[in-house]
Amino acid sequence: MDIKNQNSDGEEAPIYVTRPFLPPLAEILPYLEQIWSNHQLTNGGPFHVQFEQALCDYLGVEHISLFANGTLALVTALQALRITGEVITTPYSFVATAHALLWNGIKPVFVDIHPETLNLDPDKIEAAITPQTTAILPVHVYGRPCETDRIQAIADTYGLKVIYDAAHAFAVEDEGGSILRHGDLSILSFHATKVFTTFEGGAIVSPDAKTKKRIDYLKNFGFADEVTVVAPGINGKMNEFQAAVGLAQLRHIDQALAERAEIDRRYRKLFADITGIRCLTSPSSHRHNHAYFPILVEPEYPLLRDELYLKFRKNSIYARRYFYPLISEFPMYRALPSAKPSTLTVAGEISSRVICLPIFPGLSDDAFQVICKTLHLM
Ligand code: T4K
């Protein structure tokens, strides 16, 4: 039976994997009036200054540099720490993680993921280290924390830097506080598809004022003052509109995260009795942001993953296969020795089974019903 997901006018309404939470327009307009009045559009204007401080306060970190997007933040983080040679990273991520390495002339070395965390497997990192290795670039996939203590211990032993791609990990905390405090740097994304959005946007979290200063030079062409260029920097600056949206979003983020947590709880309860559909274990000992809701389609389920994916689409549920294909399968990576599928078996298996279901504030009861009926094959 085909099931139709209808909106209040009885029309079929597509449900996407996410829908950006937006603050009421009336809350944005005063910011726009101020921008229109002071004509400061970018280059570290008043909203940029306020937003950096407000984010530090909200996230519980000391030094943040705002960026135009998360990818520029990643590229700049690698520049800031002068990373060269080889960097160990995960194949199970969005392609921007590895692209940032190629843009810096760095060779990615892919290491397999752990079957529970779906993050870089610390047991497999050491075997991939060579004299050319300078850093580890792990990803907190779906906002689920990496094994940060074990990664740091390996980095300390071999004298490596650690840059966390924390694009999914806004507001996530472990027992000690923000997970953004780990490693040498962490980068965030505020893209439209993220739990916290400034339309496009990103940030680097630094451990100290000196590193933040270097990053701030790098994101502004390398200018230290009007006549001094200290590095071949780039234009990575966030503009005043993005910063204003961020300030307005911060007032609503706790509510948005609470709604996501409720959807997560509901999904887990509804899927508990479906043979062959596996939810990831809930991260319990820290604050989670429920950025994604991945399910794994196991062999006991009557449909293959792609058959279920297509069935969802037929019912207007535009779930996504994040992260399929693996980064290591794309043409610019697949010739690398570390991209061999035989060494990335866990990542390959998960990538062939995963579907990320819609999760966002305001997901309707009707959508829940269609998702459940589709999974129950009615
Ligand atoms: N590192 C990691 C681990 C990342 O996941 C990402 C980005 C980055 C680094 C780089 O950060 P940024 O440079 O992007 O700041 C999306 C996003 O474009 C990408 O930001 C994100 N990761 C990745 C996981 O997902 P697509 O190609 O799946 O996006 P798209 O346009 O198909 O959007 C998905 C759904 O979201 C749409 O079907 C509808 C909904 N949507 C999307 C947009 C853009 C909206 O409702 N409104 C919108 O404006 O890549």
Side-chain angles (χ1 to χ4, degrees), residues 16 18 20 70-71 93-94 165 167-168 189 191-194 320 322:
Y16 297 108
T18 189
T71 304
S93 179
F94 188 60
D165 181 339
H168 302 173
S189 165
H191 182 260
T193 56
K194 299 294 185 282
R320 294 292 289 266
Y322 295 134

Side-chain angles (χ1 to χ4, degrees), residues 2 44 57 59 102 128 138 159 168 189 191 209 222 233 257 295 301-302 371:
D2 284 346
D57 295 344
L59 296 172
L102 288 198
H168 302 173
S189 165
H191 182 260
L257 293 179
I295 54 168
Y301 191 73
I371 290 164

Side-chain angles (χ1 to χ4, degrees), residues 24-41:
L25 192 55
E27 292 184 20
I28 298 289
L29 294 178
Y31 290 101
L32 291 185
E33 280 165 3
Q34 203 169 319
I35 293 171
W36 256 247
S37 132
N38 68 15
H39 289 75
Q40 181 81 38
L41 310 186

Side-chain angles (χ1 to χ4, degrees), residues 333-373:
Y333 300 105
R334 64 182 169 222
L336 291 170
S338 66
K340 276 206 303 282
S342 58
T343 59
L344 303 172
T345 51
V346 179
E349 178 75 12
I350 299 291
S351 175
S352 72
R353 300 206 175 284
V354 73
I355 298 183
C356 286
L357 296 182
I359 184 163
F360 53 82
L363 186 66
S364 68
D365 285 344
D366 284 356
F368 268 108
Q369 265 192 29
V370 178
I371 290 164
C372 273
K373 286 183 177 169

